[in-house]
Structure formats: C-alpha cells, structure tokens
Amino acid sequence: MPEFISVTFPNASTEIAPIPNASIDPEYLTRYARNLDDYGYNYTLVPYDSSSYDPFTIGATILSVTKKLKVIIALRPNTLYPTVAAKALATLDQLSSGRVVVHFIAGGSDAEQAKEGDFLSKDERYGRLEDYIKILRRAWKSDEPFDWDSEYYQFKQFSNRVRPTNGPIPVSVGGSSDEAYRIGGSLADIFGLWGEPLKETKDQIDRIYAEAAKAGRPDSDRPRIWVTFRPIIAETEDLAWAKAHKTLDALNVNTAKGQGKTPPNAPPPQNAGSQRLLDIAARGEVQDRALWYPTVTATNARGASTALVGSPQTVIESLLDYVDLGADLISIRGYDNLNDAIDYGRFTRPEPKPLAPPAPDWPETRSTIDQNPAKMAKKTITGESHVGAEDQVFNTNPALSDPDKPGVDEDSYNPPLCVYPSWIQQLEQGVADYEKFIRRVYYTIVSAQAEYERLQQQTVKHANDGLEAHRARAVAEGPEGVKAEHSAGYMKARHEELKMGYDCMVGEASNYAEELRRLPLQQQTRTGPKVVSIETPNQNQSNRFHFAAESVEGEIEPRISKSTLPDPEKLDDGLNSPFESWLLDMQGKLFSTPTTTPLRSTK
C-alpha cells in the first residue's frame, strides 16, 4: 500500500479563510503535527517560499512533538551552500532518529528566484541542482576530506563529521520539464508530480523511468513516484460536489480581494508544471473518475491545485488508480487544513484490512442439550437421551474405541470448542454502531434547526407582505379610501382577520416544532446539503467529528458549531427569544389601537 504525505501549516490561515499577516501559532502547529502522527501519515512537507518561514526550524519543531512522522524539508539550492546544508540536514536527521527527507526546488519562476539574488537561467538552475545533490551525497558518505571544482561550486578539503542516522538522506526532486526528468531520473530517490489525468501521469512516469535506465539505474533502484492531490470529500457524491463549488467560490472571492495565492490578473506561470495543468483544464472540468480542474484555473495553477471530488470511497478508488500506475507516495491536503487532514486520516486512507486468523479445522459439533424445554423435561422423566437419536453427533477419540491399544489415555483427547467473535471484533463493531448513532442524532437536530429557520422566515415574509399590501391600498385609494378603510367597523374586522392569521402561523410553527421533537432518529426529513462541525465538550480541535448534514434551502451553509444549535427547550415551542421579541414588536405595530389591547404572547 502507498505511503501518505501531508503539508505542514504553521497557523490556522487557509486558502478559503485567509488570515492576513498571520504569524506562527505554536499550539496550532503542535496540534496539527500530532494529528498527522496520530492518524498515520508517513510524511509531512515543510514548504519553502521566499517570504515565508524557515523550513528547518519548522521541521525541527514538528520532529520534537511527534514520534513516527517524517519531515520533508523543501530546499532551494540558491539559499544555502551545499556543505552547510549537508551538516544541517544530517544534524536534524540525528536528532529525529532518521526521520528527515529533503525535497529540492530548482526554481520555476525567474521573478521568485530573483527575490533572493538568484539570476541563473532555468537550465543553469538544474545544472546547479545536479552538482548540489552530488556534493550532499559525497559529504554524507566520504570518510576523507574532498575538493570540488565546478561551474557552480568550488571548495577544498571539506570534511564532514555529521553523518545521517541511516545512511544518505533520501533526496526528492520535482518538475515537469525535460531537465527535471533527467536530474530526477538519474539522481533522485523520489520524484514528485502534480495531479494530472491517468494517461498524462503514466507518460511522465515512463519518462522518469527511461532517464533512470539511461543513467544505468536498475529497476530496483528507480525513483519512487509521489503524486499530489487536493481532495474535497463529503458523505455523499452530491454533498461533495456542492462543497467543491462552495470552495471554488471562496477561492475566486479571495483572489478578487487580493488575498489569494496569486494576485488578480496574474500573468501566465513560467514553470512547465503549471502550464501543463492549465492546458489540461482547458479540455474540461472533470477528468477520469473525479479529477476536478476549476481549482487550477482559480489559482492560476500556483502549486499543487488539482482536486479529487467525491465520497470517501470515490476518492479512495481514484487514488488507487494512481497506485496501479506506480505511485507509492500520495500527497493529500485540502482547503480546510486541519479538519481536512483529520477527515482524510479517518475516511480516505486505503489501509489494508487486517487478516482474520484462519479458522481451526475442528470437527462439526452440536449441543447435547435439547433446546425445547418441554421435550427436555419429558426425556429427563422417561430417562431418554437429551438428544434424539436422529440428532446425535458424537466426536469421540478414535483411539479410545480400541481398549486394548496401549498408551491410550482418556485425558489426551481434547473435545471440540465453540468459536466466538474476538473482543476486538466486538469492540470495532460497537464503535461503528456508535458513530452511526451519533450521525443520526445530529442530522435530526440540524434538520429541526433548518425547518425552524424556514418557518421563521415564512412568518416574517407573511407579516411584511400584509403590511406592504395595507400601505399600497391606502395610497391607491386616496384620502377617501383611507378614511373609509380606517372606519371603526372596518378596523375591527381587519383586526380580527389579522389576529386569526397571526394565531394560525404561530400555532403551525409550534405544532411542527413539537413534531420535530418527537421525530424518530431513523426517520428521513426534508433536507438539502449543509456541512456541520460538531465539537465535543472539553476536547481540543483535533478531536472534532465532521459530518455532512442537510439544510432546507439546498445551498451549502458555513460550518456551524454545536453551540449555535437551538436550545432543545426552545426548539420544543418553535420560538427563541429574538424571534419572540420580534413577534411582539410587530404585534404592537399591526394590532394595537387606542381602543384595543395587544394580543397575548402565544407559543
């Protein structure tokens, strides 16, 4: 099965909910890293940006609070001399007992490289990267000082006493250009690709393997393939696609505000990988099973941006398609960073199921006790066997049938045993049943909340429509009409009419809320999509449950916490305090006259 990679985020800012100028949040970083460790991720990438945090420091923090998670340090060769990088990476590897990988970025944008003083051409950057990898590996292996003299680096008698824990640190290279394929195929331990359709991905893998063979590497030493996706999952296909479109809307809005990954009206990207993604996006929104490309165009293909959309099972099947092509490292990261990482760990990791122990080859047995109490009592009184002659199955030790055979001991025969489910299987089933129960409970609560909101809006609309109609008639009929309409008899009749309508609407809301309170958990309600995040008391954010629920309006609503759900006592009578105050206020405006008194509050 494949190994899984995530990406580290130092604070709660996301692409769909950016926090301008957010600084490092140590508690968030620790919680995020520990969740990756707890949910079985194998690696986390610590990305590099010319204006962002130092990957080595972030990586050291992650390694200090986790036990198994490995860090992939993103490194641009122009930012650190190779002899210094060799010692820094080896030091980090020793401190973490061998949990470090390095991912090299040659640099795909001239403008981004120039921000840190690098003015080499793209081909020159890949030539420098080739030297860089060779220097690091020699520094990690050589017992003697060595010199280096090339176009990009020159030094004499460098000696390194800081060795990695388990031999040379794995080296990763990414890209989609001819030079990237050449350098990665000939030198890298891992080659990183962005999510493309299966056919294009297979073509790239073949190119990488061909370069490895050209460099004399055997099939057993070819680079491992790493493919990156941005899954968008929900409990059903419809909910997942609704969530995907809401995510796309957020990306477009943030880009328009200047808070996206790229500025509005950004020029076409320079790197080959982004250009490939945009070319594929122009062919259609959906490729293969569930590969979705509008997120690529929304971000101008800045980095890994292809989404996989669907239920967890659909996403799992899509990922396994790439595993079948030869990818054994799968990077999955979403748009709601921490919550998505937890959801992926729970629902979209295609873990192999543990094999049950083989059933023992025991002989078939039946109980010697009759299951019918009346028949059993009769046979006891009459002295008959408790098992009918036609039902008796005896499994005797064949050796005991020969009493003259020496060495036969009656105690040497073990009777057959009954097989019951193990306590682990029973516990797993109990946990699954409990999760289903929790989902049904909260679906019912949220559906009741949605129906309550609908009734509230309906009541407001009816009252406003009545008021507007009243004013419109007064204006249309002129002063005489107004005078006639406001005569004592007319006002009294109108008062009674509105009073009856008001009582009917409030009564309907109260009755429906009572029905919702008594609604069985398994009963279906009239709903449409809503995403709900439920926080259990006294637990941190890493222990959230995330369920896809539904709402009446048919639109995906923002995530709401349990604290925003209506109080059950208020849900029973269909009213909450703000709504009741509004009704009383409207009642006073519509029904109060000098000769009448306000209606009593009705629930």
Side-chain angles (χ1 to χ4, degrees), residues 238-292:
D238 290 343
L239 290 175
W241 283 104
K243 181 179 177 182
H245 285 286
K246 183 185 176 184
T247 299
L248 179 62
D249 291 342
L251 293 174
N252 288 327
V253 168
N254 291 333
T255 299
K257 292 180 179 178
Q259 297 178 343
K261 296 177 67 173
T262 56
N265 303 317
Q270 182 183 358
N271 60 306
S274 295
Q275 293 171 3
R276 287 175 62 96
L277 294 184
L278 291 172
D279 289 342
I280 296 170
R283 296 181 348 213
E285 290 190 356
V286 182
Q287 306 288 330
D288 300 330
R289 286 181 192 265
L291 196 63
W292 197 50

Side-chain angles (χ1 to χ4, degrees), residues 307-498:
L308 283 173
V309 182
S311 65
Q313 186 59 38
T314 297
V315 171
I316 288 173
E317 291 171 356
S318 299
L319 295 176
L320 291 177
D321 289 340
Y322 289 87
V323 174
D324 292 341
L325 291 181
D328 59 353
L329 290 166
I330 301 294
S331 177
I332 47 177
R333 61 186 176 97
Y335 292 92
D336 184 2
N337 302 332
L338 177 60
N339 296 327
D340 283 347
I342 294 172
D343 285 347
Y344 299 156
R346 296 181 65 205
F347 301 121
T348 63
R349 299 257 324 268
E351 294 280 6
K353 295 183 179 179
L355 297 177
D361 189 18
W362 289 329
E364 181 182 357
T365 62
R366 296 181 187 173
S367 171
T368 59
I369 300 177
D370 200 310
Q371 301 302 312
N372 187 318
K375 288 175 63 178
M376 179 178 174
K378 179 180 177 181
K379 292 178 180 180
T380 301
I381 294 172
T382 59
E384 298 178 23
S385 169
H386 288 186
V387 180
E390 72 280 5
D391 294 331
Q392 293 189 42
V393 177
F394 296 102
N395 294 282
T396 59
N397 187 342
L400 296 179
S401 62
D402 186 359
D404 297 330
K405 187 174 182 178
V408 175
D409 183 1
E410 191 170 326
D411 294 335
S412 66
Y413 177 63
N414 294 322
L417 301 176
C418 296
V419 183
Y420 297 96
S422 71
W423 66 270
I424 295 180
Q425 293 171 323
Q426 296 180 47
L427 180 60
E428 290 176 345
Q429 183 61 44
V431 171
D433 292 343
Y434 176 74
E435 287 192 355
K436 292 179 181 178
F437 168 74
I438 289 295
R439 288 184 183 221
R440 289 198 299 268
V441 169
Y442 280 103
Y443 290 167
T444 303
I445 293 175
V446 173
S447 298
Q449 164 77 357
E451 188 64 22
Y452 163 72
E453 291 175 355
R454 185 187 71 82
L455 291 174
Q456 177 180 347
Q457 293 169 3
Q458 184 183 51
T459 304
V460 172
K461 183 177 183 301
H462 286 176
N464 288 338
D465 289 347
L467 184 60
E468 289 300 323
H470 178 74
R471 291 174 177 170
R473 283 196 300 272
V475 172
E477 295 176 8
E480 294 300 324
V482 172
K483 181 178 179 181
E485 182 178 357
H486 286 79
S487 63
Y490 179 86
M491 286 301 293
K492 182 177 180 180
R494 182 60 177 160
H495 173 269
E496 292 298 328
E497 179 184 349
L498 292 177

Side-chain angles (χ1 to χ4, degrees), residues 30 110 128 142 165 202 207 218 263 268 332 358 501 504 558 564 573 595 603:
T30 298
D110 292 343
R128 178 179 60 192
S142 178
T165 303
K202 180 65 165 59
R207 289 284 306 275
I332 47 177
C504 288
T564 65
D573 56 28
T595 60
K603 293 188 178 182

Side-chain angles (χ1 to χ4, degrees), residues 102-168:
V102 60
H103 176 67
F104 285 111
I105 305 170
S109 167
D110 292 343
E112 176 69 11
Q113 294 299 119
K115 291 177 181 179
E116 295 185 298
D118 183 18
F119 299 98
L120 297 182
S121 68
K122 184 175 181 179
D123 288 343
E124 289 174 329
R125 293 197 292 266
Y126 273 105
R128 178 179 60 192
L129 175 59
E130 183 176 8
D131 272 9
Y132 205 101
I133 294 173
K134 292 178 179 178
I135 292 171
L136 258 62
R137 285 193 169 142
R138 186 166 180 182
W140 290 332
K141 289 181 178 180
S142 178
D143 294 328
E144 302 294 333
F146 65 95
D147 301 340
W148 195 269
D149 187 6
S150 71
E151 179 181 356
Y152 306 104
Y153 299 107
Q154 302 85 34
F155 55 83
K156 292 183 178 295
Q157 295 298 293
F158 172 71
S159 177
N160 177 34
R161 296 192 300 272
V162 187
R163 301 302 175 88
T165 303
N166 302 312

Side-chain angles (χ1 to χ4, degrees), residues 20-41:
N21 302 317
S23 59
I24 290 180
D25 182 344
E27 293 183 0
Y28 179 92
L29 176 61
T30 298
R31 182 166 67 251
Y32 189 92
R34 285 176 174 167
N35 270 285
L36 297 182
D37 209 20
D38 292 342
Y39 281 101
Y41 288 84

